[in-house]
Amino acid sequence: MFSTASIARFNQLETPFYYYNLQLLQQTLEACLQAARQHQFHVHYALKANFNSKVLQAIQAAGMGADCVSGNEVKAAIAHGFDKGKVVFAGVGKSDREINAALDADIFCFNVESVQELEVINELAAAKDKTAQVAIRINPNVDAHTHHYITTGLEENKFGINTWQLDEVVATLKTSANLKFAGLHFHVGSQITNLEVFKNLCLRVNELSEWFEQQQMPVRVLNVGGGLGVDYYQPDTNNICDFEGYFNVFKQYLKVKAGQEVHFELGRALVAQSASLISRVLYVKNGRKKNFLVLDAGMTELIRPMLYQAYHHIENISRQQNEDTATVNYDVVGPICESTDCFRTGVALPQSKRGDLIAVRTAGAYGEVMASGYNLRDHVQSVYSVEQEQEVM
Ligand code: LLP
């Protein structure tokens, strides 16, 4: 819900833009860290979810580490003051240039996804006379029960090393003088709302970490990835995840030995609810079978509905709904020359007019960062909450 002060401000601004509620972001970070601290869990923020500079500043100031998936994300994390001892570089296709830059930056650890990658990092580290810490990303074959485009931990996915290759991994680690084995890394998927999935992950991690110990490979870090889902349906009433419930699953089911650290890489759960995409109705097209609201934002600003059929709550914030407002079902579409450029069909909204402000909620994760320049569109702007606007929560 937006305060009248915010709506008045939006009315003065050019659309579309992402509106960041920095107070909610702060509260979310605090809730997460407070819950994690109870169990001495370490949280790394997955920059891929949102690398907007103000967002990164807030997360760095909160003291989290950084989970990066490109050389530029490593650079951005360091430029924003993240402690290099808490920067992890993951990703299935790290280039030599990116690996070299991360070695130069003395980051904490590389999460490695293949035997060949281990060999390459060893070679590049040797050339610099350095030792690279590595964690092995294992594909645990645990079903995340989420959209198939964001499932990563099944054998058919491109991510991680499959368990039948682990003998080779251990042999490579033992003969690679410039690698230091730090531990194990897992990530089974994103937008996971069924906590049972994390329980299954824990049970698998226990087996695999035991296996490494038996090979005389002490596991210091258990990195269980991210994936905690958010409530896209109730962005106002359920705007901060149940971090306690989430961490409790790991506390209960993960076997943590003395001296072992447990690391998390959360993205979406930290930032999703803190932003909305604000746009204007350009045109209202009333048809025989359908009514369309044509917005000035589309898949170039927020691609999630088009790419994953993702639900985002849509509101006309210029017309607060009350009992006597007529409701119309609209297909809410963007201006892009693609039929798929539709946020959702049949959205019940108060009768809307050209110029009305439309908010697409829960857009703080994988929103602004997945924007594109297709159709040579302008890059979407960002607007930040100011103290006095305190949104109604
Ligand atoms: N760690 C690894 C290795 C990952 O691949 C990801 C996300 C994360 C952590 C953070 O996951 P999160 O806590 O945000 O679920 N663009 C898609 C989501 C892609 C997720 C990619 N990996 C979407 O908009 O739903």
Side-chain angles (χ1 to χ4, degrees):
M1 231 199 277
F2 299 91
S3 65
T4 11
S6 298
I7 297 172
R9 181 165 162 233
F10 297 169
N11 272 317
Q12 308 302 314
L13 298 171
E14 237 186 83
T15 48
F17 56 83
Y18 275 92
Y19 172 69
Y20 286 91
N21 180 341
L22 297 176
Q23 287 79 26
L24 178 58
L25 174 62
Q26 199 58 44
Q27 288 167 18
T28 309
L29 297 175
E30 280 161 22
C32 175
L33 286 171
Q34 203 181 0
R37 276 191 209 111
Q38 290 177 26
H39 313 299
Q40 288 83 47
F41 289 162
H42 299 252
V43 182
H44 289 82
Y45 168 60
L47 265 77
K48 65 173 86 68
N50 193 322
F51 41 74
N52 174 299
S53 193
K54 279 227 165 33
V55 171
L56 292 187
Q57 281 165 28
I59 295 176
Q60 182 277 333
M64 288 183 180
D67 163 41
C68 307
V69 286
S70 71
N72 286 343
E73 283 193 1
V74 172
K75 247 194 237 168
I78 290 171
H80 282 82
F82 281 86
D83 176 355
K84 62 183 182 179
K86 289 188 192 172
V87 172
V88 174
F89 184 16
V92 69
K94 305 174 189 77
S95 71
D96 294 19
R97 188 166 55 84
E98 290 176 311
I99 294 170
N100 276 321
L103 286 168
D104 291 339
D106 293 320
I107 61 160
F108 168 63
C109 187
F110 291 83
N111 290 341
V112 177
E113 306 224 6
S114 68
V115 173
Q116 196 169 35
E117 188 191 329
L118 276 177
E119 291 163 355
V120 170
I121 297 178
N122 184 49
E123 243 175 70
L124 296 175
K128 290 181 182 292
D129 206 13
K130 290 198 168 197
T131 303
Q133 284 224 86
V134 292
I136 303 301
R137 176 166 181 182
I138 304 179
N139 184 338
N141 202 21
V142 167
D143 195 344
H145 298 294
T146 184
H147 191 278
H148 61 284
Y149 281 10
I150 51 176
T151 287
T152 49
L154 289 176
E155 276 172 6
E156 70 247 35
N157 297 130
K158 70 177 175 182
F159 300 101
I161 299 178
N162 288 311
T163 44
W164 63 86
Q165 296 164 309
L166 291 181
D167 285 327
E168 203 185 338
V169 166
V170 170
T172 309
L173 284 169
K174 287 189 173 164
T175 52
S176 301
N178 296 75
L179 298 183
K180 183 168 183 220
F181 175 64
L184 306 179
H185 174 224
F186 303 85
H187 175 77
V188 292
S190 199
Q191 184 51 21
I192 297 168
T193 48
N194 176 358
L195 293 183
E196 195 66 20
V197 170
F198 296 114
K199 172 185 163 187
N200 295 338
L201 171 64
C202 289
L203 302 179
R204 206 65 190 106
V205 175
N206 293 342
E207 286 170 21
L208 289 160
S209 109
E210 193 49 50
W211 183 85
F212 269 80
E213 298 276 341
Q214 282 163 9
Q215 316 303 306
Q216 275 70 56
M217 301 288 290
V219 177
R220 281 178 297 119
V221 174
L222 292 172
N223 180 336
V224 292
L228 177 62
V230 300
D231 191 342
Y232 282 93
Y233 290 85
Q234 302 180 81
D236 290 315
T237 48
N238 191 13
N239 57 8
I240 297 185
C241 291
D242 176 13
F243 290 109
E244 288 205 3
Y246 169 67
F247 289 127
N248 278 340
V249 174
F250 292 88
K251 177 71 195 164
Q252 195 177 347
Y253 295 103
L254 198 62
K255 280 194 205 143
V256 184
K257 299 212 170 101
Q260 271 181 342
E261 287 183 6
V262 184
H263 292 199
F264 291 81
E265 300 169 339
L266 291 172
R268 188 189 315 264
L270 298 175
V271 293
Q273 299 290 16
S274 303
S276 298
L277 174 64
I278 309 291
S279 66
R280 272 196 178 83
V281 175
L282 288 176
Y283 302 103
V284 182
K285 289 176 73 170
N286 293 317
R288 284 211 179 122
K289 291 192 179 149
K290 293 240 182 203
N291 300 302
F292 293 94
L293 284 190
V294 184
L295 306 186
D296 61 7
M299 62 194 286
T300 42
E301 286 68 42
L302 178 66
I303 201 174
R304 302 195 68 259
M306 300 77 181
L307 192 55
Y308 318 112
Q309 299 77 47
Y311 178 94
H312 284 257
H313 191 65
I314 298 174
E315 287 168 11
N316 180 331
I317 55 173
S318 298
R319 293 170 201 281
Q320 300 296 349
Q321 188 110 32
N322 60 41
E323 274 167 23
D324 22 83
T325 7
T327 298
V328 180
N329 284 335
Y330 293 107
D331 284 11
V332 179
V333 302
I336 306 303
C337 299
E338 296 274 349
S339 305
T340 48
D341 187 31
C342 172
F343 287 104
R344 201 161 72 250
T345 56
V347 184
L349 290 172
Q351 191 153 43
S352 305
K353 295 220 164 63
R354 172 172 162 83
D356 284 359
L357 289 168
I358 302 291
V360 183
R361 306 291 306 276
T362 320
Y366 309 107
E368 187 185 350
V369 289
M370 290 180 80
S372 77
Y374 184 41
N375 287 190
L376 205 54
R377 301 264 297 165
D378 288 331
H379 188 78
V380 61
Q381 299 297 303
S382 308
V383 169
Y384 305 93
S385 60
V386 286
E387 293 284 331
Q388 30 323 0
E389 277 174 3
Q390 270 302 342
E391 301 307 342
V392 189
M393 289 184 211

